[in-house]
Amino acid sequence: MAPTFVDEIFEAFDRRGADQYGEDITQLEHALQCAQLAREDGASDSLVAAALLHDYGHLFEGRGEQAEHGIDAHHEAHGASLLKRWFGPEVTRPIALHVAAKRHLCATEPGYEDGLSDASRLSLQLQGGRFTPEQRQKFEAAPFAQDAIRLRRYDDAGKVQDARVPPLETYRDLLARLGEAAQKRTD
Ligand code: FE
Ligand code: FE
């Protein structure tokens, strides 16, 4: 079978999925856990795909470009722009907004910031900290903001060591379907 965009995505995980996510789990484990949490939550296919691919941008960073080195490589924007080649905004917007969603939740939900992992708290500072009231309003008005907040909760929870979750291959059809649907809309 001819290689597809799904193969290209899976190859990126093959190349870099074993990188550390930063909380004693790998990028691939984090992605699979987030997608599984979305499935268990009854999320739409597009939100499941967004959960799986929300840190896709990390797979293309230089290995020193991480929060622990004091660098914010804007992985959310980079990932979304790469994925725009294949998917519609229902997948790429929640991805682009998943860091903003953290800043929003820090500003709006009592106790949320205290519950973040050490790595998430460290990166929060680099990402600009909690939102101001004006930033909150702007975020809330953005399309797919609510999906971004749901995605954020999977992101925060998908950091369990040695969790047993379905493998990447189980998402092949879902990704192919979403990509084809987005392609049809632009034809
Ligand atoms: Fe992220
Ligand atoms: Fe993440």
Side-chain angles (χ1 to χ4, degrees):
M1 214 164 56
T4 64
F5 71 92
V6 182
D7 294 312
E8 194 171 330
I9 291 169
F10 284 10
E11 274 165 27
F13 279 104
D14 279 346
R15 277 195 307 272
R16 297 289 298 275
D19 282 12
Q20 281 300 311
Y21 175 74
E23 330 229 1
D24 285 326
I25 60 166
T26 66
Q27 291 287 345
L28 178 61
E29 287 174 313
H30 178 57
L32 294 176
Q33 286 185 33
C34 292
Q36 177 61 14
L37 287 163
R39 275 177 163 169
E40 287 169 4
D41 191 40
S44 62
D45 283 355
S46 54
L47 188 52
V48 171
L52 182 72
L53 301 174
H54 75 281
D55 283 333
Y56 191 70
H58 275 319
L59 304 178
F60 297 87
E61 281 167 4
R63 286 193 163 87
E65 285 179 77
Q66 284 144 0
E68 57 196 281
H69 299 105
I71 294 166
D72 179 7
H74 300 283
H75 71 283
E76 70 283 18
H78 187 47
S81 80
L82 291 168
L83 293 163
K84 257 187 206 162
R85 292 174 289 170
W86 306 309
F87 298 106
E90 65 282 4
V91 177
T92 59
R93 288 311 296 160
I95 292 174
L97 291 173
H98 83 271
V99 170
K102 173 170 74 171
R103 299 177 63 196
H104 184 267
L105 283 164
C106 286
T108 55
E109 193 168 283
Y112 175 81
E113 192 172 337
D114 293 335
L116 288 175
S117 66
D118 291 345
S120 277
R121 237 172 315 177
L122 174 66
S123 59
L124 173 69
Q125 294 318 315
L126 286 172
Q127 290 156 345
R130 67 181 80 92
F131 271 167
T132 63
E134 297 76 50
Q135 289 171 322
R136 275 173 54 176
Q137 275 185 349
K138 201 171 158 215
F139 174 84
E140 283 160 17
F144 302 103
Q146 288 312 312
D147 272 359
I149 288 178
R150 284 179 73 180
L151 167 52
R152 188 71 223 178
R153 298 197 191 278
Y154 312 141
D155 191 4
D156 293 331
K159 302 176 178 182
V160 177
Q161 284 175 47
D162 301 318
R164 291 181 68 87
V165 287
L168 191 56
E169 195 57 41
T170 58
Y171 296 94
R172 178 177 288 280
D173 291 349
L174 178 142
L175 295 175
R177 245 185 296 121
L178 287 166
E180 278 159 26
Q183 191 57 47
K184 269 197 198 117
R185 278 179 305 194
T186 57
D187 280 349

